[in-house]
Amino acid sequence: MEGIKIENRDVGEHEGGGDTDGTMMDQLKDLCDSYNVEIDSSLWDTDVDLGPPSSLNVKQIPKEDATIMTEYNHLQQSLYETGFPETVNRLGSRPSKLNKENICVAFLHIHYESLGMLLEGGRQLPGGFHMILSTSWLTKEPSKDQNGLFSLFVHKAITFHSGGVTKLEEFVKPRRVTYLVNYFTDVCTRAERNDGPELERGLDCPMSSSVALCEQTDNKVWTRNAMAAAGVDIPVTLAFCYNNTHKVSTPNPKIVVFNIENNDCCDFADKEIRRFLASDEMKGVKRVVVKPSGRMYCGSVGVNLLQVDDVHNILNHAKKLLAEIEPGSSVLVEECIEHLSPRPGNKNERRWMAEEGMGFRCRVIVSRDHDNKAVCVPIICGIASADGPINGHNTTTLTLMTTLQSFNVGVEEIFKFEHELRYRSERYMNAIIEYEETLSPEERGELYAQTDLIGIDYVITERNGKLAAVAIEVNSHDCMYVCQIFDNTMAMGCKQVAETMPVDEIMTYLQGEPDLEDFEFWKTSSYSRHNHGAVHGRTVRPYIRNAIARSQKWLIRGKQILVVGAGGFSKSHIWADTAKYGIHLVMVDSNSHEFAQEYGQTYIHYDFTDHTKDEFHAIQILNIIKRMGIKVAGCLTFLEDCVPLSAMIREHVGLRGSNTEACLIAKRKSQTQNCLVEKTGMKSHFITTDLYASKAYLITKPSDIDEICSSMTFPAMLKLEHGSSAVGVSLVKNKDELQKKYAETTSLLQSEEDFHGIGLGFGNEMFAMESHEGSEHDIDIVIFDRKLVAAFISDKGPTNIPSFIETASIMPSCLPLDKQSQLIVAAFQCCLDIGLSDGVYNVKMTMTSCGPKLIELNGRMGGFYNRDWIKRLYGCDLVLYSYLIACGIKPHAPKHKPQELLMGIMLVPSHHRHILDDESIRKEILARDSNGDIMFRQFVANADDAMYNANIEEPFANVAVNANSYSEGKKKLMKFCNQYKIDNENYDVVRFIECFWDIVVRQT
């Protein structure tokens, strides 16, 4: 071939061609007919009303509903044979309530694609996933939020729940769709129906792809060019594109593209095919594949494998296909990738080894996860004769590991090959994500349409003694048939096998994790994104999480929310992300020059620094908002000092959130402890909460100390009653030290001007409580309607005595699982028992040898770096969860193991001011943060804002490294600390991180 070549040709007027003899259409029809199977419907109740909802006056039943009972019977047969219960007919009964997450995911369903996804949806979000068998079950109404668009409502559906429970329900109040998956297209149903495109047109909700995006994703010429640009290997290809909408303007050298305006171009095609077969790129190629490419061509229909020297038949078949294809389709002549041949091995060891002449094809599913990351799920293979096309219809499903073992490939080589295959596949999906961000709504097809799921088919071959994967085609979300088969086979089989094996052994076998210390392998392979939880649903788990996450982000979009307190530089990232979520921010703050006002649609300057008058401030703020004609859907704060004030505002207007009394108890640290000390009532499910608390003694004047010392155990902790960040905290060993430290601290810290943001606006009272030996931990906890939604633990290193400011930290926790469980339950109990019901909270605890002891409880989201670490490791955004809860929406927190750990160190003015003072050092650190080498979070704008007052200070920044093990994290962190002089004789980083250790789980 002569490098890059692309031509647009008008080869003459169209004379005949098209589907003249119907050969390919006949093949497609035969393929569709082969999907139909005999169903014994006597095993379940068929006396069900699948017609239009009774609440709608539907005068004409859609013609597509002629097969609705067949679809229902397919569903029942699948449920029956895979061990799930029959669908419960709840028509005429009171329908179940919509989930508290307010999510309604609707699948326009076909049985061989979407059932597995719906079952996984029922596991992740019971009642949130809806199977739609008829468009008459839905209505479109003008959107109240987006002019010119429509909202989609579900009136009737089969809902999916835990344990595979399904219910046929009709809803008195129709449910607004928050995410749509459209399988009612001619492509997905093999031309059986096509009523989905009209339904999806003009919708205001998120959706998985669109007709327009599917046409592009399923276009082999376009996707091959894009894959090659992403580093994915493709076959050498000659393409004749007939009136193709998605033209390739800058093809890869491996592709020659001719855009033709009609398909009667035999002479021209003859010449170009001959030139292609004689090109340098085709030297050494033994066979070629001639096939159609387009929306409707699937299941190897029209595909022919021919010897490269059989020019006559190659030309005839290509010209035959050109005469039959429809506009928008293509004919491809490409090199046939020769399959990997079985390597020599002992057949007696594995009698199921592949024979000579066999080959296999890989289906790699890549989806967006809840945090928009591309995730490759278990790779599925099928083995068949290499002499013909291999697809999902003529093979059984196997893992890549088992398949390559069948070809005598070694385990370590398999793992490394799989890593590379996953990496390149995820890289291609990321390229799609980046490309679609540049598209307009018209180009995407619909406003919130995006490609959330693709299936890439690879042929595995061998080049220079190494395994190589060559991508053959890409399919959009109609690519899940083999995944559904694989999940069902593995789930049913493993359930039986697992009954004879220990659970940890069967899961280790299933996950097949390699014993490799290559951190990049683990980080790019995404094993933890799907290898957890039930065996069933692993292939669709990230995709379902994405559907839920997109629904929640869409639900919060456009909400008007009141935020009390801007919080200065350390909170700036919150306001930037708030804008990205599309939230209309109404911010009230005491500082008229607060930089955060640029992020708020409405900024109200009101001085509430005197928090002893919070009730008065609440009424005044509400009056201002009322005069401005503002209605808010929620009210919250991210500032410790504003927790009671925001609660008072909420109570006045009846918004969701914890009540004022609970927030005041959380703010008054001695009251928190004393409230919990009194919680001695027995519970059948938890231990009594008083075991976590310690008696606290409030000191309002020096003379109180004499009485306190007679009943308090030393050593003791002296703290500010309304404090935060451990500012002003001291360890005292006796009465004299207590008196001395109390006098020093109260004289230094008297009002807000002495030290901003540590509660001095409430006063400078102090209290004392017993000190406990043990490790310190933060538990960031999410609660909705008094139920635990999520919890995240970070471990803290020892403090730099006499200071109690945090030093080092690590996440996830390296505590044993039972101790982590104790911390989560203890934090949850403490929140509930002081009255906190709805919100994101930060609980600090000491893990003693006897169990957790409460240090303090903050009635708002954790500060400093907590939110950023959790977002990076788990993909869970505590800011988003805070907004959702404030608007009465339960957050859905996805659960999967992190792919890395973070280990960090706090920087304080007394030891590290040089980092703020030296602009060149700070720029260098910020550049490393941008490159992903470290995580650097600065809490002050400049050196002047770094608070330091007679040994009383707050951290001004945190720097963290990522690693695959605790030992690796220690090495990386120490290297950084030594380079930038963070570690010194008075700030011993080695000692601070010494307690972070690897957990070794022994199998017995």
Side-chain angles (χ1 to χ4, degrees):
M1 291 185 295
E2 301 172 0
I4 298 176
K5 176 184 282 188
I6 183 161
E7 296 185 18
N8 294 279
R9 296 181 60 90
D10 182 0
V11 200
E13 293 297 315
H14 175 63
E15 297 175 2
D19 185 20
T20 54
D21 59 8
T23 303
M24 275 200 295
M25 288 300 110
D26 288 342
Q27 291 181 44
L28 282 168
K29 185 178 184 303
D30 292 342
L31 180 65
C32 294
D33 291 342
S34 71
Y35 296 157
N36 298 323
V37 295
E38 291 287 334
I39 299 176
D40 180 7
S41 59
S42 65
L43 298 171
W44 51 84
D45 182 16
T46 57
D47 185 20
V48 290
D49 179 8
L50 300 176
S54 58
S55 58
L56 299 177
N57 185 22
V58 178
K59 296 181 179 179
Q60 185 174 0
I61 297 176
K63 67 179 187 302
E64 292 83 3
D65 285 11
T67 59
I68 194 169
M69 182 53 75
T70 302
E71 282 292 338
Y72 183 79
N73 283 332
H74 274 299
L75 169 64
Q76 299 313 310
Q77 182 186 39
S78 296
L79 295 174
Y80 186 87
E81 294 186 359
T82 53
F84 294 114
E86 178 183 342
T87 298
V88 179
N89 185 356
R90 291 186 54 84
L91 296 178
S93 304
R94 189 173 185 177
S96 55
K97 293 182 178 179
L98 181 63
N99 52 80
K100 293 181 179 179
E101 291 85 351
N102 292 359
I103 290 173
C104 175
V105 177
F107 276 73
L108 307 186
H109 168 76
I110 53 174
H111 65 274
Y112 44 81
E113 287 286 353
S114 57
L115 178 57
M117 292 184 276
L118 286 160
L119 287 167
E120 176 62 18
R123 277 187 288 272
Q124 291 194 30
L125 184 66
F129 282 70
H130 302 67
M131 175 188 284
I132 309 299
L133 298 181
S134 169
T135 53
S136 68
W137 294 9
L138 305 165
T139 57
K140 284 172 73 171
E141 298 178 15
S143 173
K144 296 179 181 179
D145 303 320
Q146 306 263 3
N147 289 333
L149 297 181
F150 296 87
S151 297
L152 189 63
F153 291 89
V154 177
H155 295 259
K156 187 175 184 176
I158 297 173
T159 56
F160 283 69
H161 306 262
S162 299
V165 172
T166 55
K167 302 174 183 179
L168 176 61
E169 301 185 90
E170 189 171 326
F171 312 114
V172 176
K173 182 180 179 182
R175 297 179 174 181
R176 187 182 183 188
V177 173
T178 61
Y179 186 88
L180 177 68
V181 185
N182 178 14
Y183 282 109
F184 284 1
T185 65
D186 53 358
V187 176
C188 296
T189 63
R190 314 295 185 252
E192 290 183 4
R193 67 188 304 163
N194 196 38
D195 46 342
E198 180 58 35
L199 191 69
E200 79 173 32
R201 190 170 293 121
L203 293 183
D204 63 357
C205 65
M207 60 181 68
S208 179
S209 199
S210 64
V211 172
L213 289 177
C214 283
E215 286 180 355
Q216 180 166 280
T217 306
D218 294 342
N219 182 316
K220 290 183 178 65
V221 180
W222 188 89
T223 52
R224 283 190 183 181
N225 189 64
M227 281 193 291
V232 179
D233 198 6
I234 60 171
V236 179
T237 305
L238 170 66
F240 298 95
C241 302
Y242 174 30
N243 282 345
N244 209 313
T245 306
H246 304 285
K247 290 182 169 62
V248 178
S249 56
T250 55
N252 182 274
K254 275 195 166 186
I255 310 175
V256 174
V257 180
F258 292 102
N259 294 311
I260 58 177
E261 294 185 7
N262 68 59
N263 56 347
D264 184 14
C265 55
C266 294
D267 292 341
F268 170 72
D270 188 298
K271 181 181 70 173
E272 292 303 329
I273 292 171
R274 291 178 185 275
R275 182 187 300 178
F276 173 76
L277 295 174
S279 66
D280 290 341
E281 282 77 2
M282 291 295 288
K283 284 182 179 177
V285 174
K286 298 177 182 177
R287 296 186 295 172
V288 297
V289 182
V290 184
K291 62 185 180 185
S293 169
R295 303 179 329 115
M296 300 300 296
Y297 308 121
C298 60
S300 302
V301 168
V303 177
N304 212 335
L305 274 66
L306 299 161
Q307 295 297 316
V308 72
D309 56 2
D310 189 2
V311 179
H312 176 74
N313 282 325
I314 292 172
L315 293 173
N316 281 348
H317 192 60
K319 288 185 280 189
K320 178 176 180 292
L321 293 180
L322 276 170
E324 292 184 24
I325 60 171
E326 59 183 15
S329 301
S330 307
V331 172
L332 307 184
V333 181
E334 64 186 42
E335 69 167 315
C336 176
I337 306 301
E338 299 300 334
H339 292 273
L340 172 72
S341 296
R343 292 176 177 176
N346 187 351
K347 184 80 174 179
N348 293 327
E349 289 182 2
R350 290 196 184 102
R351 298 180 66 188
W352 40 267
M353 271 173 40
E355 301 88 1
E356 283 296 327
M358 305 301 286
F360 67 95
R361 191 169 182 172
C362 287
R363 168 63 59 88
V364 178
I365 299 296
V366 189
S367 70
R368 301 192 199 214
D369 207 339
H370 60 99
D371 51 2
N372 210 41
K373 288 184 179 178
V375 175
C376 176
V377 298
I379 297 172
I380 303 169
C381 303
I383 301 174
S385 171
D387 290 335
I390 303 175
N391 55 53
H393 305 291
N394 61 11
T395 60
T396 58
T397 55
L398 294 167
T399 63
L400 180 62
M401 168 65 75
T402 302
T403 302
L404 286 173
Q405 284 181 326
S406 300
F407 283 71
N408 272 313
V409 181
V411 172
E412 187 169 339
E413 184 180 359
I414 293 173
F415 277 125
K416 290 181 178 179
F417 171 71
E418 182 176 349
H419 157 61
E420 185 66 22
L421 183 58
R422 286 175 171 276
Y423 171 74
R424 293 191 184 279
S425 300
E426 290 175 357
R427 185 175 172 182
Y428 174 60
M429 183 62 171
N430 283 324
I432 290 178
I433 293 172
E434 292 174 9
Y435 169 73
E436 289 186 357
E437 287 175 353
T438 68
L439 300 180
S440 66
E442 291 75 22
E443 290 170 320
R444 285 197 300 270
E446 303 302 334
L447 179 61
Y448 293 120
Q450 65 182 37
T451 300
D452 285 337
L453 178 74
I454 59 172
I456 309 174
D457 284 348
Y458 290 94
V459 170
I460 309 304
T461 188
E462 193 163 18
R463 291 175 177 168
N464 300 320
K466 292 185 177 181
L467 298 176
V470 182
I472 303 302
E473 67 181 29
V474 179
N475 294 289
S476 51
H477 65 268
D478 58 328
C479 58
M480 300 305 294
Y481 171 72
V482 293
C483 296
Q484 192 162 280
I485 301 300
F486 177 79
D487 272 346
N488 287 333
T489 303
M490 292 296 290
M492 178 172 284
C494 290
K495 180 181 178 183
Q496 300 300 318
V497 176
E499 291 177 356
T500 65
M501 297 173 66
V503 173
D504 56 351
E505 186 177 338
I506 187 69
M507 288 314 297
T508 300
Y509 171 77
L510 288 173
Q511 294 175 13
E513 294 184 345
D515 185 19
L516 298 176
E517 295 184 357
D518 183 354
F519 176 42
E520 287 306 313
F521 175 92
W522 290 106
K523 190 159 171 43
T524 59
S525 295
S526 305
Y527 280 98
S528 63
R529 292 285 183 146
H530 57 78
N531 259 342
H532 71 284
V535 176
H536 201 287
R538 287 188 300 160
T539 59
V540 296
R541 195 155 290 146
Y543 175 68
I544 295 303
R545 287 197 297 256
N546 172 67
I548 295 170
R550 287 190 66 194
S551 291
Q552 293 227 295
K553 290 173 184 175
W554 180 72
L555 285 168
I556 201 68
R557 190 174 187 84
K559 298 286 188 186
Q560 192 155 251
I561 301 174
L562 174 65
V563 174
V564 182
F569 184 84
S570 66
K571 305 296 182 187
S572 57
H573 59 294
I574 293 178
W575 315 130
D577 289 342
T578 300
K580 290 177 184 177
Y581 286 132
I583 293 169
H584 294 271
L585 192 62
V586 179
M587 182 179 288
V588 56
D589 192 73
S590 299
N591 188 348
S592 61
H593 305 293
E594 179 53 58
F595 71 93
Q597 61 183 289
E598 66 185 86
Y599 296 106
Q601 279 77 7
T602 305
Y603 191 88
I604 300 169
H605 173 228
Y606 176 84
D607 187 1
F608 49 69
T609 49
D610 183 358
H611 289 288
T612 61
K613 300 178 180 178
D614 272 352
E615 184 61 43
F616 172 77
H617 296 324
I619 294 171
Q620 292 300 108
I621 291 169
L622 285 170
N623 286 337
I624 293 171
I625 291 173
K626 186 177 180 180
R627 286 197 299 271
M628 296 176 71
I630 296 172
K631 291 183 178 181
V632 294
C635 171
L636 75 160
T637 186
F638 297 100
L639 298 187
E640 174 70 13
D641 287 357
C642 296
V643 169
L645 175 56
S646 62
M648 292 171 189
I649 294 172
R650 285 196 301 268
E651 282 198 346
H652 277 294
V653 291
L655 295 172
R656 169 77 72 162
S658 296
N659 61 46
T660 301
E661 182 182 0
C663 292
L664 284 170
I665 293 173
K667 184 59 186 166
R668 297 165 182 162
K669 307 306 178 184
S670 68
Q671 283 195 22
T672 306
Q673 297 283 355
N674 292 335
C675 175
L676 296 174
V677 164
E678 296 175 0
K679 301 296 181 179
T680 57
M682 294 288 290
K683 297 178 180 178
S684 62
H685 51 291
F686 294 137
I687 64 171
T688 57
T689 315
D690 66 301
L691 293 177
Y692 305 130
S694 305
K695 176 68 177 174
Y697 302 88
L698 185 64
I699 307 171
T700 58
K701 55 186 182 299
S703 59
D704 292 337
I705 293 175
D706 290 332
E707 183 180 347
I708 288 170
C709 291
S710 63
S711 53
M712 188 177 67
T713 303
F714 286 98
M717 301 301 298
L718 178 66
K719 305 179 181 183
L720 287 168
E721 170 72 342
H722 305 96
S724 63
S725 305
V727 175
V729 175
S730 301
L731 177 68
V732 291
K733 298 177 181 178
N734 51 49
K735 176 182 175 180
D736 292 340
E737 284 192 11
L738 178 57
Q739 290 174 325
K740 179 183 177 183
K741 284 293 182 182
Y742 174 76
E744 287 178 359
T745 307
T746 52
S747 63
L748 274 173
L749 303 174
Q750 296 187 7
S751 67
E752 190 73 17
E753 286 71 30
D754 296 323
F755 209 111
H756 295 291
I758 60 166
L760 295 175
F762 292 88
N764 71 338
E765 296 93 343
M766 301 194 76
F767 74 99
M769 59 178 281
E770 183 182 354
S771 174
H772 298 284
E773 286 291 325
S775 56
E776 186 179 332
H777 308 268
D778 270 23
I779 305 94
D780 291 280
I781 192 165
V782 184
I783 298 174
F784 184 86
D785 207 13
R786 290 181 55 84
K787 287 192 174 183
L788 179 65
V789 174
F792 309 92
I793 303 172
S794 55
D795 301 346
K796 311 299 175 184
T799 60
N800 199 25
I801 302 296
S803 169
F804 282 87
I805 298 295
E806 179 187 323
T807 55
S809 186
I810 189 170
M811 183 182 275
S813 173
C814 51
L815 283 177
L817 181 59
D818 51 353
K819 286 192 174 289
Q820 291 188 48
S821 301
Q822 283 184 343
L823 283 174
I824 291 171
V825 172
F828 178 55
Q829 281 186 254
C830 289
C831 288
L832 291 191
D833 280 358
I834 68 168
L836 296 176
S837 59
D838 300 271
V840 179
Y841 308 113
N842 174 254
V843 184
K844 299 182 184 298
M845 287 192 149
T846 298
M847 176 54 75
T848 72
S849 60
C850 299
K853 285 289 185 179
L854 179 67
I855 298 173
E856 68 176 27
L857 195 160
N858 298 307
R860 41 77 190 168
M861 184 187 83
F864 292 137
Y865 56 85
N866 293 39
R867 176 248 181 166
D868 296 319
W869 280 27
I870 291 166
K871 189 176 180 183
R872 172 160 175 165
L873 291 175
Y874 300 95
C876 298
D877 189 355
L878 298 187
V879 167
L880 174 63
Y881 294 173
S882 299
Y883 286 132
L884 286 166
I885 292 170
C887 294
I889 302 169
K890 179 184 176 182
H892 184 272
K895 297 171 178 65
H896 57 76
K897 181 181 176 182
Q899 295 172 260
E900 60 185 346
L901 63 83
L902 294 173
M903 187 181 295
I905 192 77
M906 286 293 201
L907 308 185
V908 293
S910 58
H911 295 287
H912 310 121
R913 195 178 184 90
H914 63 279
I915 290 177
L916 282 177
D917 292 336
D918 191 327
E919 187 66 19
S920 63
I921 291 179
R922 202 161 65 87
K923 283 184 177 180
E924 186 177 317
I925 292 175
L926 288 171
R928 293 183 66 175
D929 173 70
S930 298
N931 294 333
D933 181 34
I934 60 167
M935 279 188 73
F936 180 71
R937 295 296 177 265
Q938 189 170 314
F939 312 135
V940 298
N942 50 57
D944 294 336
D945 293 337
M947 299 294 287
Y948 181 60
N949 186 348
N951 294 320
I952 296 177
E953 62 182 346
E954 257 191 320
F956 68 80
N958 178 272
V959 63
V961 296
N962 67 330
N964 188 44
S965 68
Y966 301 113
S967 56
E968 182 191 1
K970 289 177 181 179
K971 289 176 184 176
K972 290 178 72 173
L973 186 59
M974 284 310 305
K975 182 179 179 181
F976 182 92
C977 290
N978 290 329
Q979 181 180 354
Y980 294 100
K981 296 181 173 58
I982 294 169
D983 179 48
N984 58 58
E985 61 180 353
N986 295 315
Y987 201 79
D988 189 355
V989 178
V990 174
R991 182 176 70 86
F992 300 153
I993 64 176
E994 187 178 15
C995 60
F996 303 147
W997 54 283
D998 290 302
I999 301 173
V1000 178
V1001 180
R1002 291 185 178 177
Q1003 293 187 355
T1004 56

